[in-house]
Amino acid sequence: MIRVLIADDQPLVRRGLSLILAPHPDVEVVGEAGDGAEAVELALRLHPDVVVMDIRMPVLDGVRATGELATARPASRVLALSTFDMDEYVVAALRAGAYGFLPKDVSPEELIAAVRTVHSGEAAVAPRLLTRLISAYVRAPAPHPRPAPAAPDGLTPRELEIWRLLAAGLDNAAIAAELDISVSTVKNHLTGVFGKLGVRDRAQAVIAAYESGLVEVRRRSA
C-alpha cells in the first residue's frame, strides 16, 4: 500500500487528485494539506510514502517544504506538481530533494504511474523533458540557493561519457546502444557517477552536469 499525502492550496485540485488516486487498490490517500507548512506537519505525523506537492502555495511554498521534508522525513518522497512544464521552480524542487515532477495537465494514468515510480525510489521525470527544463532555467538565479554540486573529479573517462549522454537526455538503453555496452553495465557506471557526484538520482545528475559546465545550456530563440 502506497500512503499518499496531497498538498495544494486549491481545494478543488486536492479533491480531484484524491478522486484520481483513491480508486487504485495499492494507493491510500492519508491526508490533504492546503499549504507547505501544513504539508510538512502532516507528513511528520502521518508518515506518507509519497507527497504530491504543488510548487506554489502560501505560508510555505512547495520548494521550501520539499527541502524541509528531505531533511526531516526523507522516507516521504516528494512528487512536485506545477501548472507549467517550463517552470524554474520545478528545477528548484529537484535541487531541494523532490523525486520528480509533473505538470498539472497530465492524465490520471500518468499521475498514478508517477506516484508508483517515486514510491519505488526512481525519479519520475522524463529525460527529454528534464533536459528542456534545465536548459532553460538551470543558470537562472535559484529562488532558494543550494550548495554548488560536487566537482567531477575522480570520474573515469567512461563515467564522464555516460554522465554527458545522460545529461543529453538519453535513457539507459540509448546510452548502451551509443557506447555498444550492456544496459546493466550502464547502470553500474551510473551508480559510480551518482556516488562520486554526491547526487541521489538521474534528475540531480543532469542538474549537476549543467551547473558544472559539462553540458552547455542551449538558449531558446526569442
Side-chain angles (χ1 to χ4, degrees):
M1 183 64 68
I2 306 172
R3 295 168 54 82
V4 177
L5 172 67
I6 297 171
D8 195 289
D9 62 328
Q10 299 182 39
L12 189 60
V13 173
R14 294 199 304 272
R15 180 61 174 164
L17 293 172
S18 181
L19 288 173
I20 290 171
L21 296 173
H24 295 272
D26 61 334
V27 174
E28 178 187 7
V29 177
V30 297
E32 298 181 10
D35 60 62
E38 186 181 13
V40 173
E41 187 274 326
L42 287 178
L44 293 176
R45 179 157 54 89
L46 299 176
H47 299 170
D49 301 303
V50 176
V51 180
V52 178
M53 181 88 74
D54 185 25
I55 294 299
R56 293 171 176 167
M57 291 188 292
V59 184
L60 187 70
D61 65 46
V63 173
R64 294 169 63 191
T66 296
E68 290 193 13
L69 283 178
T71 299
R73 174 70 189 169
S76 294
R77 294 167 176 159
V78 172
L79 173 61
L81 295 182
S82 174
T83 303
F84 305 102
D85 62 0
M86 295 298 290
D87 186 338
E88 66 271 24
Y89 285 92
V90 175
V91 175
L94 294 173
R95 287 193 183 110
Y99 271 72
F101 88 89
L102 292 176
K104 284 188 176 179
D105 60 356
V106 295
S107 68
E109 294 76 17
E110 289 172 313
L111 175 63
I112 187 63
V115 167
R116 289 170 177 151
T117 298
V118 166
H119 178 251
S120 73
E122 297 294 327
V125 184
R128 286 181 179 83
L129 184 55
L130 176 64
T131 302
R132 277 173 46 206
L133 278 165
I134 295 169
S135 294
Y137 294 115
V138 77
R139 294 196 177 178
H144 305 289
R146 304 282 296 177
D153 295 342
L155 292 179
T156 67
R158 176 64 87 188
E159 289 171 340
L160 193 63
E161 182 63 19
I162 287 176
W163 185 26
R164 183 179 291 109
L165 293 173
L166 170 68
L170 277 65
D171 60 18
N172 289 357
I175 294 173
E178 177 74 17
L179 299 179
D180 194 24
I181 58 179
S182 70
V183 173
S184 62
T185 298
V186 172
K187 291 180 179 177
N188 289 337
H189 282 305
L190 285 175
T191 298
V193 170
F194 294 169
K196 291 176 182 179
L197 293 176
V199 301
R200 187 195 61 217
D201 56 27
R202 302 174 75 90
Q204 293 185 349
V206 174
I207 290 173
Y210 278 89
E211 291 185 330
S212 70
L214 177 73
V215 179
E216 290 294 325
V217 175
R218 295 193 183 109
R219 299 297 182 187
R220 293 177 295 172
S221 58

